[in-house]
């Protein structure tokens, strides 16, 4: 809701008007402060401004300087530009539209193979197809095809997701007016708005979209709706000299103005330039994947180097045999399917959120939503309904009339057709809108106008036949009309009531009444008497308070960030239980006041319940600073003014009814009114997060298990395991793990975070334990005859058993496949694995995969893999062996919790206490800031651009369709240089 109690029947942005002959009292009708026109802070007689200076407010503020200076500075007149000068300026300033970069689909697809995990698998593919071609052996085609298939699936999923992302640039461009009425060569004509230039004279009327930022040179009862740009809920009255923003809508009247800025230099364009400007960085989940990938790479790298040294230098392995061992570590150790598994998990989560009427446009935002600690919300249209309402609880009466009588009489004095926002709220307060004309005969109606600042109705009461008159409007105007009951006491009371309303951010609407003698409805009445004062406000949505309470219960703080005024924001905060500890936007520039309890601006932002009077840049800055302090931030909004912050936030949420610009910049779009869906989304995202965490522990554990296990076997027994069987294990594992996307898990009650130290600690413990299970089995088979003697089983080689017996390879394959998959039941549970029931899909997939593994073990005679089928006896031995080793896995988990994990958490708490004592903020890597771990991911955009130049694709390439760049600074620099070289003289003015 916008300004309050300033202009109750008209617009809210006008400064308080000095009513005629108001001598006694100054009623604090709540509104914006007057902003007096200024002059250019340079000598206009010698000025030689460059184009970039036009938008440097330290030198010139085209929005506030006097109109005469605007014409001088822009070298134009009220007759408009001529065609030649307009064409010249179009070439210099560029078109009046926002630009976006095109992208090459093929390079975009390839970009998803540009990350460390993929690099290792690509290296493995090269090893299989190129380096393995030696010693009279063909290339390793099975491994090569399997690896390429893995990479292609992963890239295809990522490519599909990104190609379907929302295009914020297009949405913002669509909001601009396609046509504009402009005066050129002294004649009015209609042209494409994209060819407007600074200095053009434009005209618009009711229903038109303002085509560019302009200063009005003529305004006739003009009212502009700029809620989507500034967050103010009511149309704003505009007068000569005022500024109108590009993209706003004319709701009333007609106007002429001079264009002061176009395209990316408009208020609208500056907001657009902030959307997605951090285009060379990655999201939160990608950073986590990078860190997990780094862990796996380091683990694999250490053991690959060790194998090269031991096998080639120590054991004198032949070239091809050594490569097979290295391929085992590369294929088995890299969790190449991790991005795919997590993508499927997130995609399923997005489908589940759709049931709650939430459309996810960037699925990785689901993971970030689970960790959100602060929810920043726009007010108008988000926390509130953006519909003015009469606050019945605060109606003041001053005569024999009741509150209901005051509402009824004020409804009489309202339009019932072609209503403005005030009339609508008053009439709807009746409940039955038909009562606004029931029982009366309308004789005369005077609608609101900016001069009188009130409406008036004269009517005949049908029941009595008496003539009566009612007026409503601005407090100071109405009280001057009241001659019948105006006393010093009444004025003091009215002044106090209006001031109380203003302090609470409520708009005051005064109502007066008089009777007429005779039948002449144009005659003077017996004198108006003040009968009531109505409070009008933008009410909170019905479910907003409960939503905020639920969010707080989930450990998420809510902050209001609104373009409305401070008093309105505080009142809304009090009504929602959000708190009224709020600040005006100027503190974001000035910082905390001297002597305040805050040492710096960051402390103030964290402590505040909200900020008022903010512009898009302020919202963006608030979110950015909170992220810099280690918070994951969500931002809700509905207007183009919210788009920059929605784009910057970890999770941007566009509410129901949001503009195309807001929806394009957001990660989640709500299709039902209210914010209750956000709470459902937070809970669902935490469920999804738990699934991803469970898989991450599992994937890291399997990496350690494969790498350490087969490296030790090769060092001790020169064990040459076939790489293709590792690929089969990976395929079966990943197929089973996909079902984690629908697994049953419980959401946490606090924001989630990726504690990678804990994840790696668990993974190390599980991996080493499973390694021991395999090595112990191999040692017993090779070093003893225990199984052969007890169970009557045999291998291809008689004792002493060959260390590379084909059946021994199959036994190891089966043992690794079964117990590795079984590990997921331990990692997914917090207690004993059998106490938390898995989903039917997970159980079914596990049973199916183990059935396939057992079938392969029983019948898989594949010569090129160096394995042979084993008997049912061996299969039974492996199953029993794995069950025996699986049971203690829960105790490994409990032991880790009681020792290592407990110590890690205590150390973290101790550090947090030390930080709190010193007052130095402990920061985490923020969402859009690159670090060494994800730098190899985050430069994907740069890689594509370089590749485009090298392979000759050319053109403009970008990785994300919603990315925008700061064209304004580029344009200003180029225009300044060009204009300096090519000065124009119009009417003897200085060059711009």
């Amino acid at each position: 809701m916008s300004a309050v109690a300033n202009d109750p029947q008209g617009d809210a942005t006008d400064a308080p008007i000095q009513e005629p002959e108001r001598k006694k009292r100054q009623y604090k009708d709540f509104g914006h402060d007057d902003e007096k026109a200024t002059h250019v802070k340079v000598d206009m007689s010698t000025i030689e401004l460059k184009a970039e200076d036009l938008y440097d407010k330290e030198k010139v503020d085209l929005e506030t300087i006097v109109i005469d200076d605007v014409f001088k500075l822009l070298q134009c007149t009220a007759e408009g530009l001529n065609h030649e000068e307009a064409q010249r300026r179009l070439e210099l300033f560029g078109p009046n539209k926002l630009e976006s970069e095109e992208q090459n689909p093929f390079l975009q697809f390839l970009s998803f193979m540009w990350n460390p995990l993929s690099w290792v698998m690509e290296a493995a593919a090269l090893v299989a197809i190129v380096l393995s071609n030696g010693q009279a052996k063909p290339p390793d085609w099975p491994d090569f095809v399997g690896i390429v298939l893995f990479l292609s699936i992963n890239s295809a999923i990522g490519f599909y997701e990104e190609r379907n992302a929302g295009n914020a640039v297009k949405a913002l461009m669509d909001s601009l007016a396609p046509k504009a009425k402009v005066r050129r060569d002294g004649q009015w004509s209609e042209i494409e708005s994209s060819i407007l230039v600074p200095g053009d004279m434009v005209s618009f009327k009711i229903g038109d979209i303002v085509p560019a930022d302009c200063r009005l040179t003529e305004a006739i009862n003009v009212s502009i709706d700029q809620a989507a740009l500034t967050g103010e809920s009511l149309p704003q009255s505009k007068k000569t000299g005022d500024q109108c923003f590009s993209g706003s809508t004319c709701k009333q009247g007609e106007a002429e103005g001079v264009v002061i800025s176009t395209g990316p230099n408009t208020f609208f364009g500056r907001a657009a330039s902030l959307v997605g400007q951090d285009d060379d960085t990655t999201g939160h989940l990608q950073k986590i994947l990078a860190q997990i990938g780094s862990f796996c790479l380091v683990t694999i790298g250490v053991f690959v180097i060790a194998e090269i040294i031991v096998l080639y230098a120590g054991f004198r392995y032949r070239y091809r045999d050594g490569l097979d061992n290295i391929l085992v570590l590369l294929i088995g150790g890299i969790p190449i399917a991790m991005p795919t598994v997590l993508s499927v998990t997130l995609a399923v989560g997005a489908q589940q959120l759709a049931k709650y009427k939430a459309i996810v446009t960037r699925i990785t935002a689901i993971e970030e939503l689970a960790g959100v600690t602060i929810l920043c919300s726009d007010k108008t249209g988000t926390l509130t309904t953006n519909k003015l309402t009469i606050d019945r609880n605060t109606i003041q009466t001053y005569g024999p009339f009741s509150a209901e009588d005051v509402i009824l009489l004020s409804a009489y004095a309202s339009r019932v057709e072609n209503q403005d926002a005030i009339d609508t709220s008053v009439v709807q307060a009746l409940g039955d809108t038909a009562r606004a004309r029931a029982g009366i005969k309308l004789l005369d109606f005077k609608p609101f106008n900016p001069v009188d600042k009130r409406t008036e109705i004269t009517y005949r009461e049908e029941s009595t036949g008496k003539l009566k008159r009612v007026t409503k409007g601005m407090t100071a105007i109405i009280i001057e009309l009241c001659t019948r009951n105006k006393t010093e006491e009444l004025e003091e009371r009215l002044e106090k009531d209006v001031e109380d309303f203003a302090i609470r951010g409520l708009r005051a609407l005064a109502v007066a009444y008089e009777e007429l003698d005779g039948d002449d409805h144009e005659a003077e009445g017996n004198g108006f008497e003040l009968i009531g004062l109505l409070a009008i406000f933008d009410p909170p949505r019905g479910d907003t308070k409960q939503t905020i309470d639920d969010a707080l219960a989930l450990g998420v703080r809510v902050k209001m960030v609104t373009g409305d005024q401070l008093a309105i924001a505080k009142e809304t905060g009090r009504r929602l239980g959000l708190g009224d500890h709020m600040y005006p936007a100027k503190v974001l520039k000035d910082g905390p006041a001297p002597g305040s309890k805050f040492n710096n601006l960051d402390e103030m932002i964290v402590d505040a319940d909200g900020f008022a009077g903010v512009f898009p840049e302020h919202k963006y800055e608030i979110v950015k600073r909170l992220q810099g302090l280690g918070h994951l931030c969500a931002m809700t909004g509905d207007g183009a003014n919210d788009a920059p912050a929605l784009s910057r936030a970890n999770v941007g949420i566009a509410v129901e009814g949001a503009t195309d610009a807001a929806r394009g910049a957001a990660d989640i779009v709500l299709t039902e009114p209210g914010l209750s869906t956000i709470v459902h989304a937070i809970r669902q995202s935490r469920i999804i997060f738990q699934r991803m965490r469970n898989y991450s522990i599992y994937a890291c554990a399997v990496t350690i298990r494969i790498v350490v296990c087969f490296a030790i076997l090769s060092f001790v027994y020169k064990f040459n395991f076939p790489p293709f069987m590792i690929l089969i294990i990976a395929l079966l594992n990943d197929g089973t793990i996909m079902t984690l996307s629908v697994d049953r898990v419980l959401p946490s009650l606090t924001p989630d975070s990726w504690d990678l130290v804990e994840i790696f600690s668990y993974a190390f413990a599980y991996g080493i334990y499973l390694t021991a299970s395999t090595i112990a089995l191999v040692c017993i088979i090779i070093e003893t005859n225990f199984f052969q003697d007890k169970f009557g089983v045999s291998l291809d080689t008689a004792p002493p058993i060959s260390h590379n017996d084909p059946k021994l390879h199959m036994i190891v394959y089966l043992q690794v496949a079964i117990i590795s998959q079984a590990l997921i039941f331990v990692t997914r549970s917090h207690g004993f694995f059998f106490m938390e029931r898995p989903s039917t899909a997970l159980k079914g997939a596990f049973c199916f995969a183990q059935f396939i593994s057992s079938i392969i073990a029983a019948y898989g005679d594949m010569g090129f893999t160096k394995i042979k089928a084993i008997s049912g006896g061996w299969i039974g031995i492996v199953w029993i062996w794995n069950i025996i080793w699986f049971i203690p896995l829960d105790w490994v988990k409990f032991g880790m919790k009681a020792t290592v994990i407990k110590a890690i958490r205590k150390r973290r708490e101790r550090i947090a206490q030390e930080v709190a004592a010193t007052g130095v903020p402990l920061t985490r890597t923020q969402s859009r800031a690159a670090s060494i771990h994800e730098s190899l991911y985050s430069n994907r955009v740069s890689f594509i651009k370089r590749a485009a130049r090298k392979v000759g694709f050319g053109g403009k390439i970008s990785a994300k369709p919603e990315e925008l760049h700061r064209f304004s600074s580029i344009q200003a620099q180029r225009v300044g240089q060009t204009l300096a070289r090519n000065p124009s003289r119009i009417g003897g003015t200085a060059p711009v």
Side-chain angles (χ1 to χ4, degrees), residues 50-69:
K50 298 179 181 179
E52 59 264 35
D53 295 330
L54 293 179
Y55 310 110
D56 184 351
K57 291 191 176 183
E58 295 298 324
K59 299 178 180 178
V60 176
D61 191 346
L62 286 171
E63 301 173 6
T64 59
I65 62 176
V66 296
I67 288 293
D68 289 344
D69 284 359

Side-chain angles (χ1 to χ4, degrees), residues 135-136 143 165 190 199 250 286 396 427 483 617 722 781 897 960:
Q135 296 181 350
D143 289 333
E190 190 173 68
C250 181
Q286 283 72 27
Q396 300 295 321
V427 172
T483 58
E617 294 88 343
I781 293 175
K897 283 183 179 180
K960 294 184 178 180

Side-chain angles (χ1 to χ4, degrees), residues 78 200 250 476 585 949:
D200 265 328
C250 181
R949 290 193 293 268

Side-chain angles (χ1 to χ4, degrees), residues 462-588:
E462 294 179 351
S463 60
T464 62
K466 291 183 178 181
L467 295 183
K468 299 182 178 181
R469 186 174 289 143
V470 179
T471 184
K472 75 178 195 308
M474 187 175 179
T475 309
I477 298 293
I478 298 300
I479 192 62
E480 290 298 322
L481 298 175
C482 296
T483 58
R484 195 140 56 94
N485 70 335
K486 184 166 63 173
T487 64
E488 183 72 17
E489 181 183 356
L490 177 66
E491 288 194 271
E492 288 180 357
R493 181 184 168 194
L494 178 64
E495 183 179 28
K496 182 179 182 302
D497 289 341
V498 173
E499 184 175 358
D500 289 343
F501 280 6
I503 292 174
R504 296 182 57 188
L506 303 175
R507 164 174 285 194
L509 185 68
V511 185
Y513 163 88
E514 71 174 355
E515 296 182 354
L516 287 74
D517 296 327
D519 291 329
D520 184 5
H521 69 271
E522 296 182 353
E524 294 289 332
N526 61 354
F528 280 107
E529 65 172 304
L530 183 68
I531 63 172
L533 193 69
L534 301 179
I536 306 176
F537 74 114
D538 181 11
R541 293 181 182 270
D543 64 345
T544 301
K545 189 177 187 307
Q546 184 61 49
T547 298
I548 291 175
D549 292 342
D550 291 343
L552 293 174
L554 290 171
V556 179
R557 285 193 62 188
V558 182
K559 294 181 183 293
M560 183 191 304
V561 184
T562 176
D564 239 329
Q565 299 189 30
L566 183 60
I568 303 171
K570 287 186 174 183
E571 176 65 13
T572 303
R574 284 190 289 265
R575 290 174 181 264
L576 293 173
L578 188 61
D580 58 0
H581 194 195
M582 301 183 185
Y583 301 97
K586 66 178 183 180
V587 302
L588 297 173

Side-chain angles (χ1 to χ4, degrees), residues 904-976:
I904 291 172
R905 292 177 178 176
K906 280 187 176 181
R907 180 177 180 275
R908 189 181 300 115
E909 291 174 0
R910 186 173 64 255
I911 293 175
Q913 291 172 355
E914 292 173 356
V915 168
T918 58
V920 179
L922 178 65
T923 61
R924 296 180 294 175
T925 303
Q926 59 188 18
S927 171
R928 303 291 197 258
S931 73
I932 188 171
H933 291 287
E934 73 273 7
S935 61
L936 296 177
Y937 286 89
S938 63
N939 291 322
R940 183 162 57 88
V941 179
S942 301
F943 158 72
I944 298 173
K945 292 178 179 178
R946 291 195 303 270
R949 290 193 293 268
K950 290 180 179 179
V951 302
F953 282 98
K956 296 179 179 179
I957 308 298
S958 67
K960 294 184 178 180
E962 70 269 18
E963 287 168 1
L964 287 172
H965 302 278
R966 284 187 173 274
F967 294 109
S968 55
S969 59
I970 299 172
Q971 174 180 319
Q973 180 182 2
R974 291 176 179 173
V975 170

